[in-house]
Amino acid sequence: MHRSSFCTKFLKRKLSSSSISSSKPIPNETIGAKKRIFSGIQPTGSLHIGNYFGAVRRWKELQDEGEDVIFSVVDLHSITLRQEPKELSRNILNCTASLLASGINAEKCILFLQSSVSRHAELSWVLACLATMPRLGHLPQYKEKSVSMKEIPLGLFIYPVLQSADIMLYKATHVPVGEDQLQHIQLAQHLGNTFNARYGHTFPPIKAMVEESGVARLRSLRNPEKKMSKSDPDPKSRISLVDEPKVIVEKCKKAITDFTSEVTYDPEGRRGVATLIDLVSLCTGKPPHQVCSENSDIDTGKFKLRVADVLIETLKPIREEYNRLVKDPSHIKSVLDNGAERAHSIADKTWSEVRKKVGITLQK
Ligand code: AMP
Ligand code: TRP
């Protein structure tokens, strides 16, 4: 199946862009700022279907609608947790290849590697001087990730400040992300307002764009209490975009369900089965109740095999394109280099303006 026909099969969904409230009013002159979209993804492992349905699919739609879009493979974020250098470097390549294979088109957007544009780290420092420790300490992702650590890296604590810099460096107005990122976008909005109040109007208001459908967060196949995540040590907890068919079958068979054999949709009471139904619903565009009625004749054991079939069929064009792309790392590198050059020229302008406003430059 060709990629475009596979994409049109998807549900027409509602996207909500939630304007995020902040402590200071947004000055009038920043309202009506030019719409620009920015988002990022960490190259910590192969992209999974939660990344795809939670973020990347929307990136592609926005890019295809002709929006001004900038996407970054955020490698500086990924080192907040320990990474094996060779593996990280391989993951940067693989992550970029899976974005391209998912339909991200470097001619319609700017796609670049975060660390290639040094202004991210520089603006991050300026913003770190405006952020407060209690505010960062309350962010749920930080709390979740640090709870089991004996020694918490400073980078993990200030990671959302770097994320704010990513967005603000391009004066982005809209940020498409999964709902787990909402509080981080809220911080960016807050830091933008704080900067504007202290140094004069510089940054536009920032809106998070989140999926309004009930599946903004796909759950782990092994522990339906947790979200599907690249960093889960159990690879069976997630379906990678480039998993081979037999791996997909194996993962679906091992997916945690419960002791009831009917296929019914109860996202609170039967989370494991609901995740499988969500997957079919997302891949086919059919609402969950229709998926249930079409599978009322089989038990959850057989349903798992149907889920595998649907996933294999849906992911086939991405996997094939990915396998073609990873054979040519120099092409991927040139895509990222070209993106970095374009990103740098925008970032440089914002950085000069920030330096002037903050006073960290010599007066002429
Ligand atoms: P990450 O894997 O943390 O780099 O996330 C990249 C993007 O995918 C972010 O916009 C996340 O909100 C989104 N995302 C990550 N995991 C999931 C999931 N399980 N379900 C839906 N969206 C997700
Ligand atoms: N923190 C995001 C995540 O873990 C990734 C990210 C980094 C991002 N910088 C960003 C997302 C800027 C949106 C905008 O998924």
Side-chain angles (χ1 to χ4, degrees):
M1 189 177 15
H2 190 264
R3 205 184 319 135
S4 58
S5 68
F6 133 80
C7 289
T8 51
K9 261 175 50 182
F10 290 134
L11 275 175
K12 274 264 162 247
R13 312 166 330 277
K14 268 198 226 156
L15 281 182
S16 82
S17 53
S18 60
S19 185
I20 290 175
S21 65
S22 56
S23 48
K24 295 230 168 70
I26 298 159
N28 277 338
E29 46 269 63
T30 58
I31 294 174
K34 195 173 156 296
K35 183 174 178 190
R36 171 170 283 153
I37 293 158
F38 183 96
S39 199
I41 196 155
Q42 294 192 48
T44 36
S46 52
L47 297 199
H48 55 70
I49 197 150
N51 294 132
Y52 183 75
F53 286 119
V56 178
R57 175 175 64 161
R58 267 169 301 144
W59 295 10
K60 176 178 155 41
E61 286 169 351
L62 291 163
Q63 152 211 287
D64 290 345
E65 284 160 18
E67 298 287 0
D68 177 1
V69 279
I70 306 180
F71 302 126
S72 183
V73 175
V74 289
D75 52 348
L76 294 177
H77 282 273
S78 63
I79 57 169
T80 51
L81 296 176
R82 192 168 179 162
Q83 305 288 330
E84 205 279 302
K86 279 209 183 88
E87 199 175 310
L88 176 57
S89 173
R90 200 171 42 240
N91 276 336
I92 289 173
L93 190 84
N94 294 349
C95 177
T96 311
S98 12
L99 289 174
L100 296 172
S102 305
I104 299 302
N105 179 344
E107 279 166 21
K108 296 187 188 169
C109 68
I110 297 181
L111 176 64
F112 74 103
L113 184 62
Q114 182 191 30
S115 63
S116 312
V117 180
S118 56
R119 301 311 186 204
H120 288 253
E122 292 173 278
L123 181 60
S124 175
W125 177 254
V126 172
L127 298 180
C129 296
L130 302 178
T132 62
M133 301 202 1
R135 180 143 194 157
L136 297 181
H138 278 121
L139 291 169
Q141 280 226 338
Y142 166 74
K143 285 206 253 179
E144 245 167 62
K145 287 192 175 162
S146 61
V147 72
S148 54
M149 288 181 172
K150 262 210 216 119
E151 300 203 316
I152 302 165
L154 183 57
L156 186 66
F157 186 66
I158 61 164
Y159 162 120
V161 176
L162 177 61
Q163 181 165 355
S164 301
D166 297 340
I167 299 164
M168 289 158 70
L169 207 43
Y170 302 94
K171 299 198 177 180
T173 54
H174 293 74
V175 186
V177 279
E179 67 164 9
D180 58 313
Q181 293 296 314
L182 269 180
Q183 286 86 354
H184 291 172
I185 311 305
Q186 195 166 13
L187 178 79
Q189 169 73 83
H190 169 76
L191 290 176
N193 285 344
T194 309
F195 187 99
N196 289 349
R198 192 172 298 185
Y199 299 114
H201 308 307
T202 309
F203 297 107
I206 299 164
K207 290 174 180 190
M209 300 169 86
V210 286
E211 195 80 26
E212 261 193 356
S213 65
V215 283
R217 188 182 297 219
L218 264 176
R219 297 174 188 279
S220 154
L221 297 182
R222 299 293 294 165
N223 178 357
E225 301 310 310
K226 294 199 313 198
K227 73 163 190 171
M228 191 180 282
S229 161
K230 285 193 231 119
S231 52
D232 192 315
D234 183 358
K236 289 202 176 67
S237 66
R238 58 186 168 264
I239 303 286
S240 155
L241 291 187
V242 298
D243 275 343
E244 291 297 331
K246 63 174 189 305
V247 176
I248 295 182
V249 171
E250 201 50 34
K251 287 180 176 176
C252 288
K253 278 189 185 163
K254 292 267 161 63
I256 300 287
T257 46
D258 51 35
F259 297 111
T260 308
S261 63
E262 285 91 45
V263 180
T264 58
Y265 193 63
D266 177 3
E268 282 316 309
R270 302 188 69 196
R271 291 190 167 176
V273 178
T275 299
L276 294 175
I277 296 169
D278 283 339
L279 283 172
V280 175
S281 171
L282 285 163
C283 290
T284 59
K286 294 175 182 171
H289 70 264
Q290 188 180 344
V291 176
C292 292
S293 59
E294 286 178 2
N295 290 282
S296 58
D297 56 329
I298 56 170
D299 62 18
T300 48
K302 291 219 178 70
F303 180 60
K304 286 179 177 181
L305 298 177
R306 288 210 181 148
V307 178
D309 282 346
V310 170
L311 286 168
I312 291 167
E313 174 69 9
T314 303
L315 296 179
K316 190 173 172 225
I318 297 183
R319 191 182 67 250
E320 287 177 353
E321 179 66 357
Y322 172 86
N323 288 336
R324 197 183 66 76
L325 285 162
V326 283
K327 288 194 190 110
D328 189 0
S330 60
H331 168 68
I332 294 176
K333 189 177 176 307
S334 78
V335 166
L336 288 178
D337 285 348
N338 182 271
E341 211 173 292
R342 293 165 65 203
H344 182 79
S345 73
I346 304 172
D348 227 24
K349 283 201 192 93
T350 308
W351 178 239
S352 300
E353 190 183 345
V354 165
R355 284 187 70 181
K356 237 182 255 151
K357 287 190 168 159
V358 176
I360 46 176
T361 182
L362 275 180
Q363 265 181 12
K364 293 233 171 81

